[in-house]
Amino acid sequence: MKIRFSRICMYVFLSFAAFFSLAPLVWTLISATNANADILRGTLLPGTHLISNFIRLNELSNLGMAFWNSARNAILSTFLSVLICSLAGYGFEIFHSKAKDRFMGILLLSMMIPFAAIMIPLFQLAANLNILNTTLGFMLPTLSTAFLIMLFRQSSRSFPREMIEAARIEGLNEVSIFFRIYVPTMKSTYAAAITITFMASWNVFLWPRIIMISPDSITMPLLISNLMAGYVADFGVIMLAVLIATLPTVIIFFFLQRHFAEGVLGAVK
């Protein structure tokens, strides 16, 4: 009886947690289908203005260009960041030494430095390299992050060393071992890293606001910010833009959620 009561309490708590977690998304979806006046009145029912809000959104902004810029920047940034950080994490753990441990400690200390403290030097570096308004400039702060290196290093501790020794005996070089053995084995960690990096790259606002000067370089977060900057905000249009900007991250997490928790915990199957 006591077990049954505790299970009921758990289900009630989880139901409330799910409700409060999904409520903002549901409200955004409902608001995207309503006119601005209906939203200001506090309506909680779906409306019939989804198409008109979409037409208005395209009139106020270049939605296609912003979506393409965000997708291109996020995909390239995720691919290069995960590749570089996984190579670094693999090297830190597989070729372990005390010097590497000290250097890893310095990298972890860099996580305590706020982005605002390095924002101006990064901008000056991007300007000197002539990579303003470019995807490379967008990727500059995220090509190598201490968090992802630490994630791959910790996961590599449970990687079977016997597989590496067997591969070396078979004549494989270190590059082949990494791409043909390590990468497939660590798919859970890669799934977690891809999810975290893609969401961060897609939703980043401050750095693109500084480095993407041209209107042709606008991203989805900047587009939403511009929609809210007017004297009169059309909340139906804004909520539709927020909904469109949310979809890619939801899709990525939906497909990779099975491996996400395992990857964060460093599990290897």
Side-chain angles (χ1 to χ4, degrees):
M1 188 67 180
K2 186 182 295 185
I3 297 177
R4 185 178 179 182
F5 178 75
S6 62
R7 182 171 297 180
I8 292 174
C9 292
M10 180 184 67
Y11 284 141
V12 171
F13 172 76
L14 292 177
S15 298
F16 275 105
F19 173 78
F20 285 111
S21 298
L22 293 176
L25 181 61
V26 174
W27 183 74
T28 302
L29 178 61
I30 293 174
S31 299
T33 64
N34 283 289
N36 191 44
D38 296 328
I39 298 173
L40 293 177
R41 282 198 298 267
T43 182
L44 297 177
L45 297 176
T48 59
H49 294 80
L50 179 63
I51 296 178
S52 60
N53 285 339
F54 184 77
I55 295 174
R56 180 64 175 163
L57 176 59
N58 281 282
E59 291 175 353
L60 294 175
S61 60
N62 195 334
L63 177 63
M65 178 178 292
F67 193 91
W68 163 248
N69 288 338
S70 289
R72 179 197 61 208
N73 294 344
I75 291 173
L76 290 177
S77 180
T78 300
F79 174 77
L80 291 177
S81 180
V82 170
L83 177 62
I84 293 172
C85 293
S86 62
L87 282 168
Y90 175 85
F92 269 113
E93 183 58 32
I94 302 303
F95 304 99
H96 184 266
S97 68
K98 292 184 178 181
K100 290 185 177 68
D101 287 340
R102 287 191 289 269
F103 185 68
M104 189 67 201
I106 297 174
L107 286 179
L108 294 178
L109 286 175
S110 68
M111 296 175 62
M112 302 176 63
I113 302 175
F115 180 74
I118 61 174
M119 185 171 57
I120 295 177
L122 279 175
F123 178 82
Q124 293 176 336
L125 177 62
N128 293 332
L129 295 176
N130 197 25
I131 55 175
L132 298 177
N133 292 316
T134 64
T135 303
L136 181 58
F138 176 90
M139 296 187 300
L140 183 61
T142 59
L143 282 178
S144 178
T145 63
F147 175 77
L148 284 185
I149 295 176
M150 179 189 66
L151 177 66
F152 280 103
R153 184 196 180 210
Q154 292 300 114
S155 298
S156 298
R157 291 186 173 180
S158 58
F159 184 76
R161 303 300 179 90
E162 296 80 6
M163 297 177 65
I164 298 178
E165 297 300 329
R168 289 171 177 168
I169 294 174
E170 293 293 328
L172 292 179
N173 56 32
E174 296 300 328
V175 176
S176 298
I177 292 173
F178 178 82
F179 286 104
R180 295 174 60 180
I181 299 177
Y182 179 83
V183 173
T185 306
M186 306 293 292
K187 61 182 181 180
S188 296
T189 306
Y190 276 94
I194 289 172
T195 303
I196 295 170
T197 308
F198 183 86
M199 293 177 67
S201 299
W202 180 272
N203 295 321
V204 64
F205 172 77
L206 183 57
W207 180 242
R209 170 63 75 184
I210 296 171
I211 196 173
M212 300 300 188
I213 303 173
S214 170
D216 295 335
S217 304
I218 190 172
T219 60
M220 287 301 296
L222 298 182
L223 181 145
I224 295 171
S225 175
N226 292 341
L227 291 174
M228 298 176 63
Y231 290 104
V232 180
D234 191 333
F235 292 104
V237 174
I238 293 173
M239 289 302 170
L240 180 58
V242 171
L243 185 64
I244 294 173
T246 305
L247 287 177
T249 56
V250 172
I251 293 173
I252 289 293
F253 184 79
F254 177 78
F255 282 104
L256 299 179
Q257 63 176 332
R258 189 165 62 91
H259 301 289
F260 180 78
E262 297 176 359
V264 172
L265 295 174
V268 178
K269 291 186 177 180

